[in-house]
Amino acid sequence: MTGLFLTFEGGDGSGKSTQSALLTDWLAARGETVVHAREPGGTELGVELREIILHRRGYIAPRAEALLYAADRAHNVATVVRPALERGQVVIQDRYLDSSVAYQGAGRVLSMPEVRDVSLWASEGLLPHLTVLLDLDPGIGRARLDASRTRYDRLESEATAFHARVRSAYLELAAAEPARFLVLDASLPVAEIQQRIRERVSVLLDTLTA
Ligand code: TYD
């Protein structure tokens, strides 16, 4: 596989979509063909799964939730991500398996290694070349969301303790795989965060084309 797979992770309101859109534009301007993907909901099937996962009324058992995200991931990887990578393109994706490990593994208090294994089975072992973790105090993320919306999905509506577990799980994952992760303070100005991401991606592109 010759393409480049970059993922963005972080709590709700950490600025993933802003940063990934800026990076997509920058790479496209450099002549790369970029596919901007997302989970959950990056495919037609995924849109239906996303509706169930995030907006279905009533209880969804934690393992069922983990499997629904895994189903979305399996389909997205098989029909969007792998084909693009095989064409040698750059895939920039908002959220990937680290979201499942942090939200379902730590947030829902399932086992982090087990949730990771389920995701790796779903994706046939696909890991990103680089994962940008936008680290933010969940209280600040929440305040950012409050300023921009009035309705919250099932995951966003979880208690403060849930989001605190998600944040520490992300940091734990980044510490365990320092070569894959770039951890940035998401309270810094947008342009400064973007600059650091571009520096790291430039290095990655140079090593891949060398
Ligand atoms: P996202 O699409 O990033 O939210 P929005 O578009 O509303 O900003 O993700 C929706 C929610 O799904 C988010 O709260 C995180 C959660 N999530 C998981 O719990 N596990 C996963 O594997 C993924 C991909 C997302």
Side-chain angles (χ1 to χ4, degrees):
M1 208 174 309
T2 50
L4 185 64
F5 186 27
L6 310 173
T7 59
F8 280 81
E9 295 284 357
D12 302 295
S14 59
K16 294 178 297 301
S17 50
T18 303
Q19 292 297 339
S20 65
L22 289 169
L23 187 66
T24 300
D25 292 347
W26 179 71
L27 283 170
R30 283 182 45 140
E32 301 287 341
T33 305
V34 188
V35 175
H36 194 176
R38 73 186 300 210
E39 290 181 12
T43 61
E44 251 180 65
L45 173 65
V47 170
E48 293 182 41
L49 290 169
R50 181 183 170 94
E51 190 56 30
I52 296 173
I53 304 170
L54 297 182
H55 302 296
R56 187 179 183 279
R57 289 209 189 85
Y59 179 66
I60 298 181
R63 280 165 196 264
E65 181 182 281
L67 289 167
L68 286 164
Y69 279 112
D72 171 68
R73 180 156 307 129
H75 194 68
N76 182 49
V77 168
T79 63
V80 175
V81 181
R82 276 193 194 274
L85 295 177
E86 273 154 18
R87 290 191 297 267
Q89 296 172 344
V90 179
V91 178
I92 295 182
Q93 182 160 304
D94 295 2
R95 296 193 181 280
Y96 188 54
L97 93 168
D98 302 297
S99 279
S100 281
V101 181
Y103 281 77
Q104 281 65 56
R108 297 286 185 220
V109 202
L110 297 169
S111 146
M112 289 171 59
E114 283 177 13
V115 171
R116 181 183 163 90
D117 284 349
V118 168
S119 262
L120 285 174
W121 181 81
S123 66
E124 296 185 79
L126 182 68
L127 281 173
H129 294 92
L130 173 69
T131 297
V132 177
L133 172 57
L134 297 173
D135 177 54
L136 190 65
D137 178 322
I140 300 176
R142 181 59 190 221
R144 287 182 180 176
L145 289 190
D146 285 348
S148 65
R149 39 184 124 124
T150 49
R151 286 178 69 232
Y152 298 95
D153 67 41
R154 282 181 55 256
L155 279 289
E156 288 164 348
S157 310
E158 278 298 326
T160 312
F162 176 98
H163 292 288
R165 287 197 296 280
V166 169
R167 184 193 193 185
S168 21
Y170 268 137
L171 292 171
E172 200 183 306
L173 291 172
E177 281 183 85
R180 173 163 71 92
F181 276 89
L182 170 64
V183 183
L184 295 172
D185 174 354
S187 66
L188 291 172
V190 168
E192 196 172 329
I193 296 173
Q194 183 62 203
Q195 189 49 38
R196 295 196 194 178
I197 297 170
R198 288 177 188 179
E199 282 163 13
R200 179 65 172 264
V201 171
S202 291
V203 173
L204 203 53
L205 283 169
D206 289 346
T207 33
L208 284 179
T209 50

